[in-house]
Amino acid sequence: MRYYLEPIADVMERVQSAFAGLSGDEVARRLEQNGKNKLRQAAKKSLLKRFFAQMMDPMILILLAAAAVSAGLSIYESVEAGHFQFPADVVIILAVVLINAALGVYQENKAEAAIEALQEMSAATSKVLRDGDVVHVKSEDLVVGDVIMLEAGDAVPADARVFECASMKIEEAALTGESLPVTKRAKELVGGENGDVALGDRKNMVYMGSSVAYGRGKAVVVATGMETEMGKIADAIEKAEEGQTPLQIKLSQLSKILTWLVLGICVFIFGFALVRGLLTDGKLPDFREIIGFFMIAVSLAVAAIPEGLAAVVTIVLSIGVTNMSKKKAIIRKLTAVETLGCAQIICSDKTGTLTQNKMTVVDHYGDEDALARGMALCSDAELTADGGCVGEPTEVALVNYANAIGLPKPKLKEQFPRVGEAPFDSMRKMMSTVHQNGGTCTQYTKGAPDEVLVRCTQILTATGVRAITTQDEEAILRENKRMANKALRVLACALREHVEAPEDCSPETLEQGLCFVGLTGMIDPVRPEVKGAIVECRSAGIRAIMITGDHKDTAVAIATELGILGDGKKAITGAELNQIDDETFAKTVSDFAVYARVQPEHKVRIVNAWRARGMVTAMTGDGVNDAPSIKSADIGVGMGITGTDVTKNVADMVLADDNFATIVSAVGEGRRIYTNIRKAIQFLLSSNLSEVLSIFTASLLSITILKPVHLLWINLVTDCFPALALGMEKPEPNIMRQQPRKARDGVFSGGLGADLAYQGVFVTVLTLIAFFVGEYLQSGEWHFTNLDEVTGAEGITMAFLTMSMAETFHSFNMRSQRGSIFTMTRKSGANRWLWASFAVSLAMTTLVVGFEGTRNVFGFAQHFTLKEYFISVALAFTIIPLVEIVKLLQRRFPAIVQFFRHLFAKKEK
């Protein structure tokens, strides 16, 4: 209902109430019918549900299936052998699954936390007229029709229509984005061109979640609970969909690819074995042979799935989170870190984010000392003992202005005590105070320039007081227009001398025959660091969009100063946006850089329009009104100091210093993290590919080259440490001068697919060579033709050692996709973490091969010699010169690289 457009008598009739309030019986009936004045509580998601949700990943399911098959085989073999055989591979697989699930459980329910914060913001108790008497009741017990009484400092407990008002101003910044308290009135409003009035312009309404900054008033409740504007925001928070981040999408795609790859290879191998048995022996394989085929399938599953990938990605992201927290960017959701790296649009709230949310005098006209003295004395704001200032924001700005030029309010009050006043009134648009000045009295009046000026007959100049002239008035109006054109809020100050304190302090008596003193221009100034941050964002290919509930002229001025508005971009109001349908807006959204006088649903619409164009969008803000759009954005950024709990609980990242510039460093860190994760993915997948190819080739040759437990060791021990070390690589020098990567770019984009393919083949060839060398050193014969004589112990041991160490050496190749590792130290410095991981992997792999207890568990050769050890390590080292040669060719012949890049990009699509 548009209660703000109706006379108060009609409003009272609609809500079936009276100016004396409701009766107790009627309140009880309405409470029973409509419920409490509370926001709906979101359902909690149990920890167990979160845990099992992690198990639904296809790769995890395949690992569980592999563990089940392996466990069954272990039981069968134990029965056959007559003693228990420890199922090491089963234990390791289950441990991997549990660890990954535990790391993936993220203990957070944003909607639930946001609703709780919204409830805490609601007033605890309220003053209400019941049966004509003033009573204090719990705010949750308010009903539609209740008459509430408001005064300075009160929180507004529900949405209500004002019907009595005495200079009442409401702080609505958290709800509408309006930087100044809004002066309220009781008279009905007139609708605009579309017949409605924007939320921030409803001068006769007060809303839940706002507070009274000045004055007093009475209002009749027209909406409670989820029917309030705050309730609509809470509902929007619940309904806002949280899409997957680009990295989540790519890892999900990768999971599906690997799942189908594993299933396809397993089916092929099993079918191939059956056909080969029929062709060679003319019969189907027996049970023991089928068990062998299943073991091959389990090996393939383990080989194809990068068990350590989820843990590596989580840990790299966690390290990034720690680094970002040191730079005042608090990450609340791990997977959101890398989203910043591909952010293309930052939709930023103005008040408190781009600006300081602190009105400040930045311009003046007239004698500064007299002007500052008059403005400070004609204000109710006060300096505090700790150097702060409390009061209505405009008056705080004036008192701080005087204090800054050596006129502190306490000394002024001591020298010129107040003896009379005519309080501010929205109809007069001014206020006056009378102060003792020795044996006489001085009156100061401040207010709207046009209203003050018409009451002036004199002017204070550098030479003294004289009669005001037409030229003076024209000069004053020119200065007023100059300041207003800069979106400054302009106030005028005048004075009047009295022989003694006037007995009648009514406005009609005081505010006449005034002497004009000067003008002050104030604004909520931009944060000094923001302009440089926006310039850096632009060089990084990121576009900043201002979205605010403030007036259009103010928004345009701030946006122009910051460089947000330019290059033919336009500003638009929420009312104008309402006239544009979704289809047209989707086509023209890039034309607008500034959105003013917007409501919460506009912000969500703007964010969604950019996202619909495939743009990775971030939304920053601090008010309650920002919460739905922050939740809808790819990454929501809340303010830690001025931000409401609602916004912080919904946000993916919170700026601890409320500094827009912090976003820039967070973007750089996000880009570094994503680049390093890609290096880790390339490293792990090339390793997994080499394992798959090795197992696949061995199965075709009817030999066993590696067992599941060997592959698990390589994937979890040998590979994980170097992968984590790659996540510690420093950023490239020009990382913030590159365009954002496209969100639709696949995991294998940029030639990564072709690179990991040839690298996986190289490691496979080296592993197979090591296997046959091991067989030769054991038997003294090469078994290329008579594979039935292959026993496997020495060959398996050398193959394991070579593959394990080849992948460790290969991690150094991953420091740069195209650059030589021999130049990386000079350009980016040494990666001491990578060297440490190399030492750990080498030591642990050597230990597992050389220690008798682990040799038995892993099925290695019992008499493994130093000669075999060094041959294996030498073969493993060969991966470095091999990859260096390919990188050299790639740098010399980029056309070939481009061909394979397009080839793999098409396949991924």
Side-chain angles (χ1 to χ4, degrees), residues 495-791:
L495 63 80
R496 181 183 175 185
E497 299 293 347
H498 298 270
V499 177
E500 59 183 4
E503 295 181 2
D504 182 5
C505 285
S506 66
E508 294 78 14
T509 301
L510 294 180
E511 293 164 353
Q512 58 176 309
L514 303 179
C515 176
F516 182 84
V517 176
L519 302 172
T520 58
M522 65 187 74
I523 197 171
D524 181 12
V526 301
R527 293 179 176 272
E529 65 281 350
V530 168
K531 189 178 293 185
I534 289 177
V535 170
E536 191 167 358
C537 281
R538 191 179 297 115
S539 69
I542 301 168
R543 181 176 171 186
I545 304 293
M546 179 191 288
I547 305 178
T548 179
D550 218 335
H551 294 279
K552 187 175 180 179
D553 55 353
T554 305
V556 167
I558 296 294
T560 302
E561 180 181 352
L562 291 175
I564 292 175
L565 192 63
D567 302 325
K569 304 304 179 187
K570 297 181 288 187
I572 186 174
T573 65
E576 292 167 339
L577 182 58
N578 285 336
Q579 305 304 313
I580 304 176
D581 60 75
D582 289 340
E583 184 178 352
T584 304
F585 184 50
K587 296 176 182 177
T588 60
V589 65
S590 60
D591 296 339
F592 305 108
V594 175
Y595 298 85
R597 304 306 283 170
V598 298
Q599 296 183 24
E601 58 267 26
H602 293 138
K603 297 186 176 188
V604 176
R605 189 179 173 196
I606 294 162
V607 168
N608 289 341
W610 279 112
R611 293 188 69 195
R613 293 177 67 128
M615 307 295 276
V616 177
T617 306
M619 170 67 188
T620 73
D622 56 357
V624 176
N625 62 324
D626 298 323
S629 51
I630 281 180
K631 192 161 188 267
S632 295
D634 292 294
I635 181 163
V637 183
M639 301 294 129
I641 299 174
T642 60
T644 60
D645 286 343
V646 182
T647 304
K648 287 185 279 190
N649 287 332
V650 170
D652 299 294
M653 179 176 81
V654 176
L655 304 182
D657 56 359
D658 282 15
N659 191 336
F660 186 89
T662 303
I663 298 175
V664 179
S665 63
V667 168
E669 183 68 11
R671 290 186 176 188
R672 182 192 73 85
I673 289 170
Y674 187 78
T675 299
N676 290 348
I677 286 176
R678 271 175 55 90
K679 291 175 182 178
I681 289 174
Q682 181 181 354
F683 168 69
L684 291 173
L685 292 186
S686 63
S687 300
N688 282 99
L689 180 62
S690 67
E691 295 167 14
V692 170
L693 292 176
S694 298
I695 297 297
F696 183 70
T697 303
S699 64
L700 294 180
L701 298 175
S702 298
I703 60 174
T704 300
I705 191 170
L706 291 169
K707 297 178 181 179
V709 69
H710 304 151
L711 298 170
L712 283 169
W713 176 273
I714 293 173
N715 290 352
L716 295 174
V717 179
T718 305
D719 289 353
C720 274
F721 292 115
L724 287 172
L726 288 171
M728 303 297 291
E729 280 287 335
K730 295 178 182 178
E732 300 175 21
N734 64 339
I735 197 166
M736 287 301 288
R737 293 193 295 274
Q738 300 172 358
Q739 292 297 303
R741 71 182 188 278
K742 297 177 181 178
R744 62 178 178 270
D745 284 352
V747 174
F748 303 121
S749 63
L752 187 144
D755 290 344
L756 70 85
Y758 85 78
Q759 291 159 8
V761 170
F762 281 173
V763 175
T764 299
V765 171
L766 294 173
T767 302
L768 289 169
I769 292 174
F771 176 82
F772 285 107
V773 168
E775 288 300 313
Y776 171 77
L777 293 175
Q778 180 181 1
S779 63
E781 297 180 10
W782 294 104
H783 295 291
F784 295 122
T785 56
N786 190 7
L787 296 174
D788 291 337
E789 297 181 10
V790 172
T791 57

Side-chain angles (χ1 to χ4, degrees), residues 4 203 257 320 380 481 507 514 706 770 799 867:
Y4 41 88
K203 308 295 185 184
I257 292 171
D380 292 324
K481 187 174 186 301
L514 303 179
L706 291 169
K867 178 181 179 181

